[in-house]
Amino acid sequence: MRALILSFLLLILGADARLSAQENSGVQGQLPRDTIQVVDTLVTAVKHGDFSSVEFATVTKDSVVFDLKDDPLASKMDSLWLSELSNNTLYEELYTTITDLEYEPVEYEELPTELLKERLKAIDAKTPFNVEYNPQLESVIKYYLKNRRRSMGKLMARSNYYFPMFEEALNRHEIPLELKYLAIVESALDPTAKSRVGATGLWQFMFTTGKIYGLDVSSYVDERSDPLMATEAACKYLKSLYNSFEDWDLALAAYNSGPGNVSKAIRRSGGYTNYWNIRNNLPRETAGYLPSFLATMYLFEYAEEHGFKPTLPSTPYIATDTIKVKQLITLEQVSRYTNVPVEQLQFLNPSYFLGIIPVVKDENYVLRLPVQAVGPFVANEDAIYGLATQEIAQREKPLPQFVAQDAKIRYRVRSGDYLGKIAKKYGVRVSQIKRWNNLRGDNLRVGQRLTIYPRNPGRSRATSTTTTQTNSQGAKVYTVKQGDSLWSIAQKFPGVSVENIKSWNDISGTALKPGMKLKVSKG
């Protein structure tokens, strides 16, 4: 354990021999505050050999793995932030903007034309892209500033997680770091984004192109949605396109519409190779592609000047790590065993679209976790896998994610319903409801019918099947069963939280034993 934590510290602090985040002010100034706090806690533990401040607990077969404490308000904020990250309405909004660009003049007094020319010239001096002023580009930039300000602010928040990952890969492949903005234009930084023609992921790979660059798709995993794997494939593809066209503007156009369409546009324009000269001969979407890319680049480069204040991620990319999975496990199980919210696990592991991490020969599937959860998981992995295997073996076959067609239900949307609420009710994911019903956005209308495949078909809701007794004070009492955890018990009783159960039963830990009696209501 100590060696694992030490390795993480060395990675973040640049192998500073003094092992002190406080002394290494140069690095500290570049890290988010929450990362610095994690580092400081671990540094102190390693230096003094005292890990008492790091709250890890052991696992037994009848208990939850460990109890990671969290502040309720901060937890709610994180949940809202993760909801923003996974909200794919940004993708639909950006996609529509690109395809419908009209290049009409837009009035925006805060950005005079001469100031824009000056800034574009400064960007052009430090990038291999042709960032030259023209009225069409000015129109797109001002349109974004005037009509897409809220969207761009959200995208900047997402970028704080993804950009460090992109920049490392782009730098390693020796291609322009500005290509990180391409993922915004392609997917609005949504790893689960899917276009109308089937392109998927942050970098919008079609099935065949993804296969060519090593991205496989199976019943459990779509590697096009894996941020690291897809970014690696995108770097290779972009580099090959540049080698063909020897121009980054044309390489981007080819990335969007295919090399053949760019070659045809060059021929039809009479041999011109400047993007702006061949733009009218490209497909409509591609014609708006480079202007959107350059406008995005401008807005990010001059975000502060235009008053953008993006939200920092609760878990920076640098504060996460991966674990190679040794046997099949679900994200729901990982969430219960680690107390990491399942929404956060879904965000960190978007390629497992059914919420299942399989073990397949010759495949190295990994689980990405916040770094504070990695050590406890590794230290207790035998017990964790044992509990997961036991639980899966007790489930109705096939696994609940693969329900038969006759197990579907038709749900009628009621007033006050939203996708997250319906998904939670039936134990499924919002993305699954969208896929089953071909929904492009998040909006629902009262009376709308939805097809849903519940996670536990044929099983009554927990409230009707869970047996309780009433004690002398009038409180409901539940008898703990094999495999129960505080989290799973709380889920059986609407409106009851883990903290409620702890308070009503005067317990501080999470260890449970079969036969234990717990109050599940306030007497």
Side-chain angles (χ1 to χ4, degrees):
M1 171 68 70
R2 182 171 179 174
L4 176 66
I5 297 174
L6 182 58
S7 298
F8 170 71
L9 293 173
L10 291 174
L11 173 64
I12 293 182
L13 299 180
D16 190 327
R18 293 170 297 180
L19 283 177
S20 171
Q22 299 296 339
E23 294 170 355
N24 197 327
S25 58
V27 175
Q28 187 183 31
Q30 300 170 24
L31 292 173
R33 183 177 302 169
D34 53 354
T35 304
I36 294 170
Q37 291 172 347
V38 171
V39 173
D40 285 347
T41 300
L42 297 178
V43 166
T44 302
V46 172
K47 179 181 286 185
H48 300 291
D50 177 10
F51 293 90
S52 60
S53 61
V54 186
E55 296 187 359
F56 302 154
T58 57
V59 64
T60 68
K61 112 176 169 171
D62 298 321
S63 71
V64 183
V65 176
F66 50 91
D67 183 17
L68 294 176
K69 309 219 179 278
D70 196 6
D71 179 86
L73 179 60
S75 178
K76 181 180 180 181
M77 291 177 176
D78 287 349
S79 178
L80 292 172
W81 183 83
L82 287 167
S83 177
E84 289 290 349
L85 287 175
S86 59
N87 182 356
N88 72 353
T89 56
L90 280 177
Y91 171 69
E92 291 297 317
E93 184 177 313
L94 195 61
Y95 180 87
T96 302
T97 299
I98 294 171
T99 54
D100 295 340
L101 283 178
E102 297 295 341
Y103 305 104
E104 297 293 331
V106 176
E107 291 295 327
Y108 195 80
E109 295 182 359
E110 292 87 343
L111 183 61
T113 298
E114 290 305 313
L115 177 59
L116 176 60
K117 288 181 178 180
E118 180 182 323
R119 290 176 175 176
L120 291 177
K121 187 175 181 180
I123 295 175
D124 183 63
K126 60 180 183 179
T127 176
F129 295 93
N130 298 311
V131 189
E132 297 179 3
Y133 170 84
N134 61 63
Q136 295 98 326
L137 179 56
E138 179 179 25
S139 170
V140 178
I141 291 173
K142 290 185 175 180
Y143 177 84
Y144 278 7
L145 283 169
K146 190 172 184 178
N147 302 299
R148 292 288 182 263
R149 188 174 188 86
R150 183 168 176 269
S151 300
M152 294 309 297
K154 291 181 178 180
L155 289 169
M156 289 177 185
R158 291 185 184 184
S159 73
N160 284 313
Y161 177 82
Y162 286 112
F163 276 7
M165 178 194 312
F166 297 164
E167 290 168 349
E168 186 279 328
L170 293 166
N171 181 66
R172 181 161 33 83
H173 284 274
E174 298 181 341
I175 54 182
L177 297 187
E178 291 85 358
L179 284 167
K180 63 189 178 186
Y181 301 123
L182 179 61
I184 293 178
V185 179
E186 284 287 345
S187 66
L189 295 180
D190 179 2
T192 63
K194 191 169 186 177
S195 75
R196 293 172 176 81
V197 295
T200 300
L202 288 167
W203 300 94
Q204 290 291 282
F205 275 99
M206 293 294 289
F207 183 88
T208 303
T209 309
K211 280 281 189 182
I212 293 172
Y213 287 93
L215 301 177
D216 291 327
V217 180
S218 70
S219 298
Y220 287 100
V221 185
D222 190 338
E223 292 179 349
R224 295 174 299 174
S225 291
D226 183 285
L228 281 175
M229 296 182 70
T231 300
E232 186 70 15
C235 288
K236 293 177 181 177
Y237 187 27
L238 286 164
K239 198 167 187 176
S240 70
L241 291 172
Y242 177 77
N243 290 337
S244 297
F245 291 98
E246 298 183 344
D247 180 279
W248 280 113
D249 293 353
L250 298 183
L252 290 188
Y255 188 94
N256 178 253
S257 65
N261 280 325
V262 175
S263 297
K264 284 184 282 188
I266 292 173
R267 292 186 179 94
R268 288 168 179 161
S269 67
Y272 287 111
T273 57
N274 183 289
Y275 174 87
W276 295 96
N277 292 332
I278 70 170
R279 183 170 59 87
N280 291 333
N281 293 303
L282 290 167
R284 180 176 179 83
E285 179 184 337
T286 310
Y289 193 68
L290 188 66
S292 295
F293 173 80
L294 295 177
T296 300
M297 184 190 302
Y298 168 81
L299 289 175
F300 271 73
E301 293 293 324
Y302 287 92
E304 185 176 341
E305 286 79 356
H306 287 290
F308 287 104
K309 296 179 180 179
T311 306
L312 291 174
S314 59
T315 303
Y317 174 68
I318 195 174
T320 67
D321 201 357
T322 55
I323 301 168
K324 183 179 178 181
V325 173
K326 295 181 178 179
Q327 65 184 62
L328 186 144
I329 195 168
T330 70
L331 295 182
E332 181 186 359
Q333 290 170 330
V334 174
S335 176
R336 290 207 309 273
Y337 303 152
T338 63
N339 282 346
V340 177
V342 70
E343 294 84 4
Q344 186 172 13
L345 292 175
Q346 291 167 349
F347 170 70
L348 295 175
N349 302 273
S351 60
Y352 305 119
F353 55 86
L354 291 179
I356 302 172
I357 308 177
V359 172
V360 180
K361 185 179 179 181
D362 299 327
E363 294 286 355
N364 291 316
Y365 293 134
V366 298
L367 168 68
R368 182 170 292 277
L369 290 171
V371 70
Q372 67 268 24
V374 172
F377 188 99
V378 172
N380 296 286
E381 63 181 358
D382 289 342
I384 289 173
Y385 287 132
L387 289 168
T389 300
Q390 182 182 20
E391 182 179 333
I392 291 171
Q394 292 173 348
R395 286 183 177 178
E396 202 175 333
K397 297 295 188 292
L399 283 173
Q401 288 85 351
F402 296 105
V403 297
Q405 286 294 316
D406 59 4
K408 71 182 180 182
I409 66 167
R410 291 285 287 170
Y411 179 81
R412 182 176 179 273
V413 176
R414 300 174 176 83
S415 178
D417 276 346
Y418 54 93
L419 285 175
K421 179 180 178 181
I422 298 170
K424 185 175 182 179
K425 178 177 182 179
Y426 291 103
V428 298
R429 294 174 61 178
V430 169
S431 60
Q432 290 175 309
I433 297 179
K434 287 185 174 182
R435 184 168 67 250
W436 294 331
N437 295 277
N438 295 317
L439 301 179
R440 306 304 305 177
D442 294 329
N443 295 328
L444 299 175
R445 64 179 185 278
V446 175
Q448 183 176 353
R449 295 283 183 177
L450 298 175
T451 296
I452 297 175
Y453 297 90
R455 175 163 290 184
N456 294 303
R459 185 181 298 176
S460 301
R461 296 297 292 161
T463 52
S464 62
T465 60
T466 301
T467 302
T468 60
Q469 298 173 334
T470 303
N471 66 12
S472 57
Q473 289 78 38
K476 291 181 181 179
V477 177
Y478 173 80
T479 302
V480 176
K481 299 178 178 62
Q482 181 76 24
D484 276 344
S485 67
L486 289 178
W487 184 89
S488 66
I489 294 171
Q491 297 303 299
K492 298 176 187 291
F493 302 95
V496 176
S497 69
V498 170
E499 291 304 317
N500 288 149
I501 297 175
K502 285 184 175 183
S503 174
W504 294 334
N505 293 277
D506 194 25
I507 58 177
S508 58
T510 56
L512 301 177
K513 292 183 179 181
M516 181 186 293
K517 304 289 186 181
L518 292 177
K519 294 179 186 178
V520 290
S521 72
K522 191 173 182 180

